[in-house]
Amino acid sequence: MKDETNTAGLRMGTLAVHAGQQPEPVTGAIMTPVFQTSTYVQPELGRHLGYEYARTQNPTREALERNVAALEGGAYGIAFASGLAAHDTMIKMFSADDHIVCGEGVYGGTFRLFSKVIARMGLHFTFVDSSSLDEIRAAIRPNTKLVHVETPTNPMMGLTDIAAAAEIAHAAGAWLSVDNTFASPYNQQPLALGADLVLHSTTKYINGHSDMVGGMAVMNSPEIHEQYRFLQNAAGAVPGPWDCWLALRGTKTLHLRMQAHNANGLRIAQWLETHDKVERVYYPGLPSHPQHALAQRQMKGFTGMISIETGSLENATKLVNNTRIFALAESLGGVESLIGHPAMMTHASVPVDRRQAMGLSDGLVRLSCGVEDVEDLIADLDQALAKV
């Protein structure tokens, strides 16, 4: 694709492979090179070639930023060293005494960052069940500057009506930001539904191969982009070029991988719902999910993320310790299937009473269904559940 900006009318698969990139002009290399440099030579004092210092600009990083922005239907993308770095930089756009409404079902690390770090600096947070528009609306204050949600939530798979939440935020003069990590741009595009900001842990579905850590923010507003970009450079939480190259390699197959994740997730969720050792299945693609109609309306697919209630810590322990293909590990969204225990792993930093209020029990187990043969994954879960 010679014109890296000409993406109008292109579909997801074409954007995944080509958006934001062009053959390297010197050699014609079709893959964006890894520009492994810290600085750039300037031809003369006061004149450079568009690049001065690698914290501020890197061509590999810029290609990834353009690519993910196109996948999200956004004008600007800004890459970070991690998903939490993207969240941290977003919050730095606000000042002491500003108020932020945050969904209580966000990733445990996000809750820890907001409640234990940023709150000490004078910002005020109200955590709500963002599946309830009434709770979001009731939490709004005169000094509310941001409504932040994660949908689907981690790990309870709850949904927020993005379009309605955007209306509430905008009526209050606030922004709506959406952590789209669980859904991926393939399954959900919050900017098209009214969100002002979309955030990702690119470590997950965007990269898809469990071999790098990164984050991304995407937006359409030039003003938000300018503030965000200034803070990225000022605070310096930028990714290295090799991590950007790995993520860019991953996006080229995003549309193919997500089709497999979606298919495996739905099939496994349907099977788990019939299993007598499973008390409840949390998966938006099931008609039994209380927000299934919303999922059908704002999502293209339902991902490979499933949470199940096993009834007790003992049952959960037996399940996660006995799978053979599902690997017991943190993270999600890779081609390989993972299994985890949120209360002791991803959400251990969330207070017990708050976990319990959300339904995040000691018996909850989270699955990240990969792209392996689904019959093998079902057989693996079946033999492990037999030991529960």
Side-chain angles (χ1 to χ4, degrees):
M1 180 179 293
K2 293 184 179 180
D3 182 1
E4 65 192 20
T5 64
N6 185 22
T7 59
L10 297 180
R11 293 171 174 82
M12 178 67 68
T14 308
L15 291 173
V17 175
H18 294 290
Q21 305 153 79
Q22 56 185 336
E24 196 275 321
V26 176
T27 65
I30 196 165
M31 282 298 295
T32 301
V34 179
F35 285 87
Q36 194 72 52
T37 185
S38 61
T39 192
Y40 307 89
V41 173
Q42 302 182 20
E44 60 183 276
L45 185 63
R47 182 171 71 89
H48 56 77
L49 303 178
Y51 297 90
E52 299 173 83
Y53 188 60
R55 186 187 69 252
T56 308
Q57 307 118 329
N58 180 278
T60 312
R61 187 169 83 221
E62 290 173 343
L64 173 64
E65 292 172 338
R66 292 190 298 261
N67 182 263
V68 177
L71 293 175
E72 280 288 3
Y76 310 100
I78 307 178
F80 290 89
S82 69
L84 280 174
H87 282 73
D88 180 65
T89 304
M90 173 182 71
I91 294 299
K92 287 174 180 171
M93 288 193 284
F94 305 103
S95 303
D97 291 328
D98 285 344
H99 176 246
I100 294 160
V101 178
C102 182
E104 65 183 6
V106 294
Y107 164 56
T110 305
F111 178 85
R112 179 181 57 217
L113 172 67
F114 289 178
S115 65
K116 297 184 182 301
V117 180
I118 302 298
R120 300 199 332 260
M121 301 175 184
L123 276 79
H124 306 286
F125 293 87
T126 300
F127 293 92
V128 301
D129 176 2
S130 62
S131 67
S132 168
L133 297 175
D134 288 339
E135 285 202 28
I136 296 176
R137 193 177 291 109
I140 297 290
R141 302 177 187 173
N143 59 335
T144 299
K145 303 297 184 183
L146 177 73
V147 175
H148 177 70
V149 302
E150 186 171 325
T151 181
T153 60
N154 180 3
M156 302 308 298
M157 304 305 294
L159 304 184
T160 300
D161 186 327
I162 297 171
E167 288 184 8
I168 295 170
H170 294 160
W175 299 339
L176 175 70
S177 58
V178 177
D179 187 331
N180 202 31
T181 298
F182 260 38
S184 85
Y186 181 84
N187 286 322
Q188 183 172 267
Q189 293 189 316
L191 293 177
L193 296 170
D196 300 284
L197 279 164
V198 178
L199 294 94
H200 283 277
S201 169
T202 53
T203 314
K204 314 302 193 299
Y205 279 126
I206 285 180
N207 171 59
H209 293 80
S210 302
D211 54 11
M212 55 78 68
V213 172
M216 183 71 65
V218 180
M219 67 289 294
N220 278 320
S221 163
E223 293 77 19
I224 296 176
H225 173 249
E226 183 178 358
Q227 291 181 56
Y228 225 129
R229 185 71 73 178
F230 168 80
L231 288 167
Q232 179 200 42
N233 184 57
V238 297
W242 178 240
D243 286 333
C244 291
W245 188 92
L246 287 170
L248 191 59
R249 177 271 332 252
T251 63
K252 291 181 180 294
T253 58
L254 177 68
H255 57 302
L256 303 175
R257 290 184 287 104
M258 292 313 301
Q259 291 171 28
H261 287 299
N262 289 344
N264 283 0
L266 180 59
R267 173 75 183 283
I268 291 169
Q270 291 169 336
W271 176 81
L272 285 166
E273 201 168 37
T274 67
H275 202 289
D276 59 4
K277 298 287 184 69
V278 177
E279 295 186 3
R280 183 173 178 182
V281 180
Y282 299 88
Y283 187 73
L286 294 175
S288 59
H289 191 286
Q291 297 169 292
H292 180 62
L294 175 60
Q296 290 180 306
R297 188 166 73 247
Q298 73 180 20
M299 298 179 74
K300 178 180 176 181
F302 309 113
T303 85
M305 300 305 301
I306 307 169
S307 289
I308 61 174
E309 178 57 57
T310 66
S312 69
L313 177 59
E314 180 184 6
N315 289 343
T317 301
K318 288 180 179 177
L319 173 57
V320 302
N321 283 346
N322 282 287
T323 53
R324 298 165 181 166
I325 298 175
F326 280 86
L328 178 58
E330 300 265 2
S331 201
L332 61 104
V335 292
E336 63 288 309
S337 293
L338 303 178
I339 191 167
H341 186 260
M344 294 180 65
M345 297 171 74
T346 57
H347 287 68
S349 61
V350 178
V352 174
D353 58 344
R354 185 171 289 275
R355 292 204 306 261
Q356 292 174 342
M358 291 189 295
L360 202 169
S361 71
D362 287 344
L364 193 80
V365 171
R366 193 187 76 181
L367 305 174
S368 175
C369 302
V371 302
E372 303 95 336
D373 189 291
V374 71
E375 297 299 336
D376 291 334
L377 296 178
I378 289 174
D380 184 35
L381 292 171
D382 197 29
Q383 64 81 28
L385 282 166
K387 297 177 173 63
V388 172

